[in-house]
Amino acid sequence: MPVYRDEAVVLRTHKLGEADRIVTMLTRAHGKVRAVAKGVRRTGSKFGARLEPFMVADVQLYEGRSLDIITQAESLGSYGALITADYGSYTAASVMVETADKLTESEGSLQQYLLLVGALRSLSRQEHGSHLTLNSYLLRAVSMAGWAPSFQDCARCGAVGALSEGGQHSAMVVQMGGIVCDDCAPPGSPRLDAATIELLSALLTGDWEHASASPERTQNQAAGVVAAYTQWHLGRGLRSLEHVAR
């Protein structure tokens, strides 16, 4: 049977039999892969904690009929223990891997892989607030999937909106792709203040200095927008999002 090697981040695991696990991974070159790790639940397993959620590993697999088999795993990023030790980081990482699981298929996406690994690394090091890291990841992930939001010009007609010119749009309509002008906004559309719109833009572009300086109220409002936008474009809810303390 063909043997292949790849880098992978573990998205989730499921028990199989008495000692095995099915491991769902997002790989660098082969997309999403489901494989069996034999004996991984036994004490003294050679895989140990290398194949737990949020871990990044260099794995060797051989192709099976229905599921591939993991034969080797070497740790590349031991993020799991650091992330699970902090509740905020753990819940944020859970949403990230669930999102990556829903966005990626077998054809693969190097951009999605690198984005997820970078976000998990940042969480493990607590480089930024866990909510900010999560919301930045979600905006970038859906953008890479083809649903980039607009937080300045009208997402429907393209009408220019710029705070410096006094013409900033404020209606947020996730179904239309972001901020829309007054002419395009359906009646009763929710309105965002300038600070929230600026924070959303900062999270999308990675302006961490601006994002970290934003007040808690603004961060909470932006988080609600990101959650609604992500789940609308995924076409389904994110179960793990319910556990994120807003």
Side-chain angles (χ1 to χ4, degrees):
M1 295 182 180
V3 176
Y4 65 98
R5 198 174 194 97
D6 206 346
E7 295 177 15
V9 55
V10 179
L11 303 180
R12 53 191 169 89
T13 64
H14 296 288
K15 292 180 181 179
L16 179 66
E18 295 183 357
D20 305 338
R21 273 202 182 105
I22 296 176
V23 183
T24 302
M25 304 171 288
L26 178 59
T27 67
R28 185 184 183 98
H30 293 83
K32 192 164 64 178
V33 172
R34 296 178 73 241
V36 176
K38 292 184 175 294
V40 74
R41 290 160 52 206
R42 292 196 182 100
T43 302
S45 166
K46 62 181 179 179
F47 295 133
R50 300 171 191 170
L51 296 176
E52 293 292 331
F54 319 137
M55 300 292 281
V56 182
D58 182 336
V59 294
Q60 180 174 291
L61 309 96
Y62 71 82
E63 296 180 7
R65 291 185 177 180
S66 57
L67 294 171
D68 295 349
I69 307 296
I70 300 172
T71 57
Q72 293 181 19
E74 299 295 332
S75 179
L76 294 177
S78 300
Y79 307 136
L82 293 172
I83 288 174
T84 54
D86 178 74
Y87 183 75
S89 297
Y90 171 74
T91 54
S94 297
V95 177
M96 290 177 184
V97 295
E98 184 182 354
T99 301
D101 194 3
K102 288 174 166 42
L103 283 175
T104 55
E105 295 301 334
S106 57
E107 67 270 13
S109 170
L110 176 59
Q111 285 184 315
Q112 292 285 0
Y113 171 81
L114 294 176
L115 178 67
L116 179 59
V117 171
L120 293 175
R121 182 190 304 117
S122 180
L123 273 181
S124 71
R125 296 174 179 175
Q126 296 188 348
E127 294 176 347
H128 314 289
S130 58
H131 292 174
L132 293 176
T133 303
L134 169 61
N135 291 318
S136 179
Y137 167 80
L138 291 176
L139 287 176
R140 295 184 187 191
V142 294
S143 295
M144 288 178 181
W147 302 305
S150 174
F151 295 129
Q152 181 170 310
D153 297 340
C154 177
R156 184 174 182 272
C157 71
V160 175
L163 182 61
S164 60
E165 300 174 3
Q168 186 180 42
H169 308 313
S170 63
M172 179 69 195
V173 185
V174 296
Q175 299 91 329
M176 293 183 177
I179 296 293
V180 297
C181 66
D182 290 344
D183 290 337
C184 293
S189 299
R191 300 279 173 167
L192 302 181
D193 57 32
T196 301
I197 295 173
E198 290 174 5
L199 174 56
L200 289 167
S201 297
L203 292 171
L204 182 60
T205 59
D207 182 354
W208 291 108
E209 182 177 357
H210 181 98
S212 298
S214 60
E216 183 177 358
R217 177 183 175 279
T218 301
Q219 292 186 25
N220 289 339
Q221 187 169 15
V225 172
V226 174
Y229 190 87
T230 302
Q231 292 181 108
W232 169 265
H233 288 285
L234 286 177
R236 67 193 85 174
L238 293 168
R239 292 183 180 180
S240 51
L241 197 58
E242 299 174 3
H243 303 291
V244 176
R246 293 294 176 187

